[in-house]
Amino acid sequence: VVAADLGSLGLEGGTRPYSLNNQGEVVGRSTNNLGRNRPFLWTKDGGMIDLGDLGAGFGRAYDINENSEVTGTSGAGAQGTNAFYWSALTGMIDLGAIVGTPSSRGYAIADNGWIAGRVTYAVGAPLLTEAYVYRPVSGGAPGEYEAVGLGTLGGNASNSADLNDVGAVIGFSFVDATAFHAFYWTEDTGLVDMGTFCDGGGACGTT
């Protein structure tokens, strides 16, 4: 194995990779000469490219699938930071605008294009955050998505972490004011409480 220097978008030492696919393509964030974190895609042939932003000049790319589709989060001006979908065909598409919440993130993208993430609600809303799935609209244009809220296990916050190519999602959710459990979700099962490794809940129940 030979190490490869991914380079940067300006600031030396300001690059952080988050994910790669089996083709060796890498995504993450790199700080430019203006001190702004920018989402990047690195390939062996093309090197590092800036994926753009949603209007506020910063962002991070969290995951890439085997079709070179990317998800992450980007500043969207007064709307906060929004989840995005990116491909070479579509460029960056704002997924947060689908839900209309102050903030959202895309954490994982499967090879079928489904994206797992979370939204953050406005102050005073019943929920603080909620796990979400963004899925391509059947018969829609490339990059056209619909959003599905996954709910919680009874508490006021949940967050999705990863998903696979058959639409199964994992993450964690608060079950009350202090304890949180891992969950599993599909369209057929809904949110399933995976329990904890101990009786007290909280941090000991995470993996």
Side-chain angles (χ1 to χ4, degrees):
V1 177
V2 178
D5 187 343
L6 303 186
S8 74
L9 293 175
L11 181 66
E12 187 68 27
T15 297
R16 179 176 295 179
Y18 290 116
S19 182
L20 80 164
N21 60 20
N22 289 328
Q23 303 169 65
E25 297 172 330
V26 181
V27 295
R29 62 93 166 156
S30 183
T31 309
N32 65 15
N33 288 324
L34 299 176
R36 309 301 297 272
N37 288 328
R38 306 286 298 177
F40 76 80
L41 166 65
W42 180 93
T43 65
K44 286 177 280 189
D45 293 332
M48 184 178 291
I49 62 170
D50 189 325
L51 299 184
D53 63 77
L54 296 174
F58 64 93
R60 300 181 181 202
Y62 285 120
D63 199 24
I64 183 170
N65 65 18
E66 296 306 318
N67 301 312
S68 303
E69 298 170 305
V70 181
T71 192
T73 186
S74 173
Q79 300 178 34
T81 57
N82 283 355
F84 71 76
Y85 164 87
W86 181 97
S87 74
L89 176 63
T90 65
M92 187 176 288
I93 293 177
D94 187 346
L95 300 181
I98 300 174
V99 183
T101 56
S103 177
S104 58
R105 293 188 177 193
Y107 287 124
I109 182 166
D111 291 341
N112 62 6
W114 283 40
I115 293 171
R118 73 124 194 263
V119 303
T120 301
Y121 290 101
V123 176
L127 297 180
L128 297 177
T129 66
E130 183 179 2
Y132 256 76
V133 165
Y134 301 90
R135 57 191 182 192
V137 174
S138 179
E144 186 178 356
Y145 274 78
E146 59 185 359
V148 179
L150 307 189
T152 75
L153 294 173
N156 65 357
S158 62
N159 195 99
S160 57
D162 204 3
L163 77 170
N164 63 18
D165 293 330
V166 296
V169 182
I170 59 168
F172 67 89
S173 171
F174 278 86
V175 296
D176 55 31
T178 59
F180 54 91
H181 291 185
F183 72 73
Y184 169 89
W185 179 95
T186 69
E187 288 186 292
D188 292 334
T189 66
L191 217 58
V192 176
D193 189 338
M194 297 174 67
T196 70
F197 286 129
C198 61
D199 295 330
C204 61
T206 64
T207 58

